[in-house]
Amino acid sequence: MIGRRLSRGGRPGLIGAAARTAVVAGTATAVSGRVAARQQGRAAAEEAAPPQPAAAPPAAPAPDAASPALDAEALSTLERLGNLYGQGLLSEAEFAAAKQRVLGT
């Protein structure tokens, strides 16, 4: 029993644990750096690219003389719908349906 070495049961010692921690930390740092570089590259590419022109909403037909004049609320609603359509948040079908509801036709 005097010359016998104590067994650790397969667990790493202090140096092994420190080495494993260093490898994990180094890998995490490398991955984080690559992700940040990729995001910066994409942001730079988006800034360098010319802006895409927004599709103009379809022109509304001119109101007939027989149709009643629109009130301020209906006009502001139509303007908001046009902005949403211009930003691409509404599809053409959704825009047309909402416009018809506002105009009451």
Side-chain angles (χ1 to χ4, degrees):
M1 291 279 170
I2 293 179
R4 218 175 227 214
R5 193 165 177 208
L6 295 175
S7 174
R8 287 181 293 219
R11 296 179 301 187
L14 181 59
I15 293 174
R20 180 177 297 150
T21 301
V23 168
V24 170
T27 303
T29 302
V31 169
S32 174
R34 291 186 73 192
V35 168
R38 188 176 331 129
Q39 288 175 345
Q40 287 176 351
R42 285 182 183 166
E46 287 177 4
E47 289 177 5
Q52 296 291 335
D64 296 338
S67 67
L70 295 175
D71 62 346
E73 183 180 345
L75 286 175
S76 68
T77 302
L78 287 174
E79 287 176 355
R80 281 187 289 141
L81 287 171
N83 288 337
L84 291 173
Y85 178 75
Q87 294 172 359
L89 298 174
L90 289 177
S91 69
E92 189 171 345
E94 292 170 329
F95 175 72
K99 185 173 69 170
Q100 293 301 322
R101 276 194 305 264
V102 171
L103 296 175
T105 56

